[in-house]
């Protein structure tokens, strides 16, 4: 049985003060929730404060990006050991906003994925097609290529630690969610690609999140699909009550 995992991607939102207010609310709402893995991904500037605030709880911490090198002349970048030092156990990699605005390729995402796993962090590797690609019937080809290239060269034990997030680009921040059937179809495809890359036991244990306009009102139906193991939540993770309601939909 795969344990559902719901992660809040706060993107470029929340000062330290605002972050702490949000975390207090989330802690209150989710004090008893043990059935779902909960991960908060604040901006870098709030990671230390959020890390301290969730210490001793079952809520975990993730970053939204990182460099693949441990240190060096990479102005403006953050490395795996820097995040690990702050008890950051997850990292979102290859989010479509990084691919779109910062030109991240599958090759870059693959390097970062290897670096995360080498640092004992769990990568949340994002894949998903644009609206043009969906309308041109390229969804399967695009997603398959992203999965194969972003996860290339991982050993079995590393694949099992990896989380894949299927996020159709046209559904992110648009209010336009994939239907549960549309999402399930692509999740099943991702699982079959993972099976080809490894074996059935591995593909059965990798968790695949759905992301893109998930709200309290649609989460239960999405998370109820056989190959959807929770969600990566943007806008609705910025409010404690709505995030908590989404997490509870995974129970
Ligand atoms: P959204 O973002 O929930 O605001 O659509 C999801 C994401 O970008 O991870």
């Amino acid at each position: 049985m795969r344990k559902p995992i719901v992660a809040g991607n706060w993107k470029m939102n929340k000062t330290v003060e605002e972050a702490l207010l949000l975390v207090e609310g989330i802690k209150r709402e989710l004090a008893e929730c043990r059935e779902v893995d909960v991960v908060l991904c604040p901006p870098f500037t709030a990671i230390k404060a959020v890390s301290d605030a969730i210490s001793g709880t079952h809520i975990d911490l993730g970053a939204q990006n990182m460099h693949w090198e441990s240190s060096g002349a990479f102005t403006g970048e953050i490395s795996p050991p820097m995040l690990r030092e702050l008890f950051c156990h997850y990292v979102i990699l290859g989010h479509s906003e990084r691919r779109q605005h910062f030109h991240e390729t599958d090759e870059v995402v693959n390097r970062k994925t290897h670096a995360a796993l080498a640092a004992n962090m769990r990568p949340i590797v994002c894949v998903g097609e644009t609206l043009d690609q969906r309308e041109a019937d390229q969804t399967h080809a695009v997603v398959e290529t992203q999965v194969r290239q972003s996860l290339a060269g991982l050993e079995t034990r590393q694949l099992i630690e990896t989380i894949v997030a299927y996020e159709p680009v046209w559904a992110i921040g648009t209010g336009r969610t994939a239907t549960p059937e549309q999402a399930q179809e692509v999740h099943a495809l991702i699982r079959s690609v993972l099976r080809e890359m490894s074996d059935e036991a591995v593909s059965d244990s990798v968790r695949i999140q759905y992301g893109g306009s998930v709200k309290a009102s649609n989460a239960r139906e999405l998370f109820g699909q056989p190959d959807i193991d929770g969600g990566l939540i943007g806008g609705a993770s910025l409010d404690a009550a709505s995030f908590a309601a989404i997490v509870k939909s995974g129970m």
Side-chain angles (χ1 to χ4, degrees):
M1 250 322 250
R2 297 181 296 269
K3 187 175 182 186
I5 175 166
V6 176
N9 173 11
W10 296 2
K11 307 193 181 184
M12 197 172 70
N13 294 292
K14 305 290 178 188
T15 61
V16 170
E17 195 181 338
E18 292 164 348
L20 288 174
L21 266 176
L22 177 55
V23 172
E24 285 316 311
I26 292 171
K27 275 172 30 179
R28 256 197 316 276
E29 299 266 355
L30 294 177
E32 306 303 329
C33 175
R34 293 277 189 285
E35 295 86 345
V36 177
D37 284 340
V38 179
V39 183
L40 306 181
C41 304
F44 289 131
T45 46
I47 281 194
K48 167 77 172 118
V50 172
S51 181
D52 291 344
I54 59 176
S55 134
T57 73
H58 57 281
I59 299 171
D60 222 320
L61 185 63
Q64 299 173 18
N65 176 36
M66 67 173 196
H67 199 272
W68 60 83
E69 293 286 351
S70 297
S71 63
F74 299 99
T75 302
E77 293 290 325
I78 302 279
S79 78
M82 292 170 182
L83 294 171
R84 277 303 313 237
E85 187 183 25
L86 301 177
F87 304 102
C88 208
H89 297 129
Y90 292 83
V91 59
I92 300 170
L93 297 175
H95 189 280
S96 68
E97 287 151 15
R98 304 243 19 121
R99 292 177 185 262
Q100 221 175 313
H101 305 306
F102 303 97
H103 313 295
E104 288 196 10
T105 60
D106 288 330
E107 194 210 329
V108 165
V109 176
N110 183 243
R111 276 197 218 177
K112 293 182 176 192
T113 302
H114 280 274
L117 289 160
N120 271 325
M121 295 170 73
R122 291 186 171 167
I124 299 177
V125 177
C126 302
V127 298
E129 81 288 358
T130 62
L131 187 57
D132 284 351
Q133 290 166 334
R134 174 161 283 264
E135 286 175 347
D137 238 348
Q138 293 168 347
T139 300
H140 283 206
V142 167
V143 171
E144 172 162 5
T145 302
Q146 288 175 334
V147 170
R148 284 190 185 279
Q149 297 189 351
S150 302
L151 306 184
L154 296 188
E155 293 168 18
T156 297
R157 64 180 172 83
Q158 295 180 312
L159 267 179
I160 292 170
E161 297 296 311
T162 300
I163 292 126
V164 178
Y166 169 57
E167 300 205 303
V169 179
W170 48 272
I172 296 177
T174 58
R176 192 177 157 190
T177 324
T179 64
E181 295 73 28
Q182 281 174 324
Q184 166 57 28
E185 185 197 326
V186 181
H187 281 238
L189 165 85
I190 293 171
R191 209 173 290 292
S192 73
V193 173
L194 291 170
R195 192 178 315 121
E196 284 174 23
M197 291 174 72
S198 54
D199 58 42
E200 183 129 13
V202 170
S203 75
D204 278 351
S205 56
V206 174
R207 293 180 291 180
I208 309 175
Q209 296 176 315
Y210 170 79
S213 298
V214 177
K215 304 182 274 280
S217 57
N218 59 24
R220 189 169 295 282
E221 217 189 333
L222 284 160
F223 298 171
Q225 300 299 309
D227 288 298
I228 301 186
D229 309 308
L232 181 54
I233 319 302
S237 73
L238 298 173
D239 174 80
S242 75
F243 182 66
I246 292 169
V247 169
K248 287 175 186 165
S249 306
M251 285 164 59

